[in-house]
């Protein structure tokens, strides 16, 4: 694969822009099995590289070649999972521009959030440019368990926990929705596991049992937990083991 095509597929701009980066000497690369980055000899944009296991540097920042990008983000409070946010900044501004600019066959560009979290919700959010992965993870048939940590306004009673597990009816849906698991950590803190993802589901379920969510944090998707050292606003690549953990 030509180096300019590698950069193009990874979101560094048009092929002309990518060729320009290489010709200006701003790109180095390291093929699988090599120890050090090397500059492109003779400033050739059509230099052939093996993309498998390739790392490249653009203006000193190192990137792995990834045919498809899979990331996790620790979503901070006060951000919206939208490209056109209303009152708060978009989560996409937390990502470097190549991840937002990766070319796609569809109209959208770059990585997209796998489902949405509310503006005030924090925690684990996955992003990818793999449309099939988004579809599979969002499908109600897939039943990926998501674990939420909920801080409540009023102490929760065991009877209310029972109702969340048995199923509550939300106003726009005659089918009751139930928590797959519900652990009362203390009277004001609940760990709730859901296998569906209806709009504002946690908040509406808690309201249906007569309480109110004060703070909401997603701690886990499938077998993938938000790492303790990934701080709000930070993102990280997902490896094969992470993806296997998410899929369960
Ligand atoms: N349920 C909610 O109510 N809000 C979220 O952000 C996620 C789940």
């Amino acid at each position: 694969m030509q180096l300019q095509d590698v950069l193009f597929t990874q979101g560094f701009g048009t092929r002309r822009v990518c060729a320009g980066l290489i010709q200006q000497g701003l790109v180095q690369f390291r093929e699988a099995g090599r120890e050090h980055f090397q500059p492109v000899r003779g400033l050739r944009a059509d230099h052939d590289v093996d993309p498998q296991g390739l790392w490249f540097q653009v203006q000193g920042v190192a990137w792995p070649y990834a045919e498809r990008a899979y990331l996790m983000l620790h979503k901070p409070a006060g951000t919206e999972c939208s490209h056109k946010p209303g009152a708060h900044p978009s989560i996409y501004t937390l990502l470097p521009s190549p991840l937002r600019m990766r070319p796609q066959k569809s109209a959208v560009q770059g990585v997209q959030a796998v489902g949405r979290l509310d503006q005030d919700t924090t925690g684990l959010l996955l992003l990818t440019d793999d449309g099939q992965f988004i579809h599979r993870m969002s499908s109600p048939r897939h039943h990926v368990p998501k674990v939420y940590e909920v801080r409540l306004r009023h102490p929760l009673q065991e009877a209310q926990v029972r109702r969340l597990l048995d199923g509550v009816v939300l106003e726009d849906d005659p089918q009751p929705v139930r928590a797959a698991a519900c652990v009362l950590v203390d009277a004001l803190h609940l760990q709730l596991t859901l296998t569906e993802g209806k709009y504002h589901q946690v908040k509406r379920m808690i309201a249906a049992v007569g309480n109110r969510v004060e703070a909401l944090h997603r701690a886990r998707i499938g077998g993938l937990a938000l790492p303790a050292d990934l701080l709000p606003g930070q993102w990280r690549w997902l490896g094969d083991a992470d993806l296997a953990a998410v899929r369960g």
Side-chain angles (χ1 to χ4, degrees):
M1 192 173 188
Q2 293 185 356
L3 195 57
Q4 62 184 346
D5 293 333
V6 168
L7 294 190
F8 170 72
T9 61
Q10 305 299 289
F12 285 82
T14 61
R15 285 194 172 77
R16 183 192 287 259
V17 167
C18 294
L21 288 169
I22 296 166
Q23 282 152 4
Q24 289 169 66
L26 299 173
V27 179
Q28 300 200 319
F29 67 96
R30 191 182 78 202
E31 282 172 306
R34 297 286 180 120
E35 213 178 314
H36 300 292
F37 282 92
Q38 55 188 102
V40 191
R41 299 258 173 260
L43 310 177
R44 293 235 336 254
D46 64 353
H47 184 92
D48 259 321
V49 288
D50 178 358
Q52 285 314 312
L54 179 80
W55 279 75
F56 57 94
Q57 266 186 6
V58 180
Q59 294 178 295
V61 179
W63 295 83
Y65 171 81
E67 193 175 341
R68 291 268 171 256
Y70 303 92
L71 332 167
M72 63 168 115
L73 171 73
H74 186 160
K75 180 191 174 296
T79 52
E80 292 183 28
C81 294
S82 165
H83 288 282
K84 293 193 179 124
H88 303 273
S90 162
I91 51 152
Y92 295 100
T93 62
L94 298 167
L95 302 176
S97 73
L99 291 173
R100 289 185 272 128
M101 303 300 285
R102 289 168 70 96
Q104 288 263 52
K105 288 202 183 79
S106 59
V108 291
Q109 258 187 333
V111 296
Q112 310 296 322
V114 181
R116 290 183 175 208
L117 292 174
D118 296 337
Q119 166 277 120
D120 51 355
T121 302
T122 60
L124 181 58
L125 187 68
L126 306 182
L127 297 111
T128 181
D129 60 351
D130 179 347
Q132 279 186 355
F133 180 82
I134 295 180
H135 184 72
R136 222 176 321 118
M137 293 294 293
S138 314
S139 155
R141 276 182 294 137
H142 208 64
H143 293 309
V144 181
K146 302 191 178 85
V147 179
Y148 293 91
E149 292 168 359
V150 190
R151 183 155 59 83
L152 301 153
R153 175 168 294 185
H154 310 290
L156 201 71
Q157 314 299 323
E158 279 297 340
Q160 293 170 311
V161 172
R162 198 65 262 153
R163 281 183 64 202
L164 290 168
L165 287 167
D166 289 345
V168 292
V169 174
L170 306 179
E171 64 283 356
D172 58 349
D173 193 347
Q175 283 294 330
V177 286
R178 49 181 63 86
C182 196
V183 178
L184 203 50
V185 180
D186 59 44
L188 290 176
H189 293 91
L190 183 70
Q191 201 183 63
L192 195 68
T193 305
L194 300 182
T195 53
E196 324 159 82
K198 292 184 195 299
Y199 182 65
H200 291 329
Q201 186 166 339
V202 174
K203 290 175 185 166
R204 292 195 298 153
M205 286 178 76
I206 297 295
V209 300
N211 209 315
R212 202 185 146 124
V213 171
E214 286 289 316
L216 184 57
H217 176 82
R218 185 156 68 191
R220 181 179 283 274
I221 299 175
L224 181 71
L226 182 71
D229 62 350
L230 191 69
L231 303 177
Q234 291 183 337
W235 68 276
R236 186 173 292 174
W237 294 99
L238 295 179
D240 291 343
D242 299 320
L243 288 171
V246 167
R247 291 185 177 117

